[in-house]
């Protein structure tokens, strides 16, 4: 690859950092996909800026910057460190009501410590709200201070990007498999319908949690033409939950270059590409 600047996509699962660097000269082509192993939980080290562990991740990002002409960094955050909910649009449209509801939702957290973002839903009478705490994002900011353009994406935004990139149409469910956290995002006719996440101790506990969430979120029981899986231990998640998904749905693990719809010089990897999928998607321009 020449000196043309590229995008770096990054995601974290358990004790591993996965990255992807696009080839800006070729559409849907990747210059490199790789991973780094650590002996600690990477996302915790970033959000807590652990004094022993965080410098190792910081040096890894410095290496990316010095070894490659990186113009932007796009990273996946963790659902467990965010708050997702849906509000009626009439609440969103009234600034005072919007702030009052935000204060109730994040009781005990000062307004200046919140990072709320609002998203359009398929049902335009509602808005989807995602809230992050600034103190948990400080580590992400420090990792990317030397790069001009940075972007931090939630799991449901990965589903939005997939909808724009792959254009699957119809309805699909995208499931992000993190260590002890499962994110679920639903799209209907190409539009964002809903999202939630489930925390759990063991994959064997997921059926119970899924049924509990489905009581209040009927869309989890809805019809989906395709169910996409990415992340950590996708096989275990599929085995635990496939009995609760639409029987006619096609289950697709985003674990190969072909399934993702990209090209790279290397065809085989020493890790599951399903875990690198968010990094791959974030590194692309489309």
């Amino acid at each position: 690859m020449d000196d043309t600047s590229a995008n770096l996509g990054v995601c974290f699962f358990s004790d591993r950092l996965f990255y992807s660097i696009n080839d800006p000269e070729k559409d849907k082509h990747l210059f490199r996909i790789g991973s780094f192993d650590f002996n600690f939980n990477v996302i915790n080290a970033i959000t807590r800026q652990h004094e022993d562990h965080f410098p190792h991740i910081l040096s890894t990002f410095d290496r990316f910057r010095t070894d490659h002409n990186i113009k932007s960094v796009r990273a996946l955050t963790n659902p467990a460190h965010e708050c997702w909910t849906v509000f009626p649009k009439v609440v969103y449209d009234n600034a005072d009501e919007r702030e009052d509801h935000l204060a109730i939702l994040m009781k005990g957290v000062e307004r200046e410590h919140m990072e709320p973002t609002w998203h359009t839903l398929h049902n335009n009478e509602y808005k989807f709200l995602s809230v992050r705490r600034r103190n948990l994002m400080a580590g992400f900011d420090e990792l990317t201070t030397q790069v001009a353009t940075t972007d931090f994406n939630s799991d449901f935004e990965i589903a939005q990007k997939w909808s724009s990139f792959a254009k699957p149409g119809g309805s699909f469910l995208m499931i992000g498999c993190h260590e002890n956290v499962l994110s679920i995002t639903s799209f209907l006719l190409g539009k964002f319908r809903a999202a939630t996440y489930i925390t759990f101790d063991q994959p064997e506990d997921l059926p119970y949690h899924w049924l509990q969430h489905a009581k209040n979120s009927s869309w989890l029981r809805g019809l989906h033409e395709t169910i996409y899986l990415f992340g950590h231990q996708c096989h275990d998640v599929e085995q635990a939950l496939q009995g609760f998904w639409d029987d006619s749905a096609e289950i697709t693990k985003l674990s190969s270059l072909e399934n993702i719809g990209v090209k790279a010089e290397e065809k085989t990897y020493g890790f599951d590409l399903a875990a690198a999928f968010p990094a791959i998607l974030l590194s692309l321009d489309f």
Side-chain angles (χ1 to χ4, degrees):
M1 190 172 75
D2 59 22
D3 292 335
T4 306
S5 57
N7 303 316
L8 171 67
V10 184
C11 61
F12 317 94
F13 291 98
S14 186
D15 59 352
R16 303 186 80 172
L17 178 158
F18 297 90
Y19 69 92
S20 174
I21 301 171
N22 78 318
D23 185 341
E25 298 295 325
K26 300 177 182 178
D27 185 42
K28 299 182 181 179
H29 197 98
L30 304 172
F31 171 66
R32 180 168 297 165
I33 308 169
S35 71
F36 288 93
D37 294 352
F38 299 92
N39 61 356
F40 52 82
N41 185 290
V42 179
I43 201 73
N44 287 344
I46 296 172
T47 54
R48 299 174 184 176
Q49 296 186 61
H50 193 284
E51 61 181 7
D52 293 327
H53 301 155
F54 186 69
H56 295 292
I57 305 171
L58 191 60
S59 66
T60 301
F61 272 77
D62 286 339
R63 194 184 316 170
F64 286 137
R65 184 174 53 84
T66 56
D67 291 352
H68 307 283
N69 189 17
I70 302 298
K71 73 172 181 181
S72 71
V73 176
R74 302 167 183 159
L76 180 71
T77 55
N78 189 278
H81 295 142
E82 302 172 357
C83 178
W84 301 352
T85 191
V86 173
F87 277 132
K89 189 174 180 297
V90 292
V91 171
Y92 169 80
D93 290 339
N94 185 305
D96 290 337
E97 282 197 39
R98 187 168 67 232
E99 290 301 313
D100 287 344
H101 279 71
L102 192 58
I104 294 171
L105 184 68
M106 302 294 289
K107 186 176 181 180
V109 179
E110 296 295 329
R111 181 62 177 84
E112 60 267 26
H113 297 153
M114 304 179 200
E115 290 185 1
T117 56
W118 298 83
H119 301 264
T120 300
L121 289 171
H122 178 266
N123 184 340
N124 58 19
E125 294 183 3
Y126 293 88
K127 284 281 190 176
F128 185 86
L129 170 65
S130 173
V131 188
R132 298 173 179 143
R133 296 190 184 194
R134 293 190 189 278
N135 65 310
L136 295 179
M137 294 301 297
F140 286 98
D141 291 332
E142 188 171 345
L143 290 174
T144 57
T145 52
Q146 301 300 315
V147 180
T149 304
T150 60
D151 189 20
F152 304 115
N153 291 259
S154 302
D155 274 39
F156 66 87
E157 291 175 292
I158 294 297
Q160 291 174 327
K161 288 183 178 296
W162 178 251
S163 181
S164 298
F165 174 73
K167 297 179 173 57
S171 61
F172 71 86
L173 203 65
M174 179 164 277
I175 298 179
C177 310
H178 299 260
E179 185 178 28
N180 304 124
V181 185
L182 197 74
S183 69
I184 310 103
T185 307
S186 176
F187 266 66
L188 179 65
L189 299 177
K191 294 185 178 180
F192 180 30
R193 173 161 51 181
T196 190
Y197 61 83
I198 297 171
T199 58
F200 60 94
D201 294 324
Q202 302 292 334
E204 294 79 9
D205 300 333
L206 280 171
Y208 167 78
H209 292 298
W210 186 278
L211 289 172
Q212 288 296 108
H213 278 69
K215 287 182 179 179
N216 298 314
S217 302
S218 59
W219 57 270
L220 287 173
R221 303 189 300 271
L223 301 179
H224 296 92
E225 295 171 34
T226 311
I227 296 171
Y228 296 103
L229 293 165
F230 71 84
H232 182 70
Q233 298 180 333
C234 291
H235 177 75
D236 290 345
V237 171
E238 180 183 359
Q239 291 301 304
L241 291 176
Q242 62 181 343
F244 299 93
W245 299 335
D246 178 12
D247 290 339
S248 63
E250 178 183 352
I251 300 174
T252 301
K253 295 187 185 71
L254 295 164
S255 56
S256 70
L257 297 176
E258 182 180 5
N259 283 348
I260 299 171
V262 295
K263 296 180 180 179
E265 296 305 319
E266 293 179 272
K267 303 301 180 184
T268 59
Y269 298 88
F271 51 84
D272 187 354
L273 278 181
F277 165 74
I280 292 170
L281 197 61
L282 290 171
S283 71
L284 297 172
D285 282 324
F286 54 89

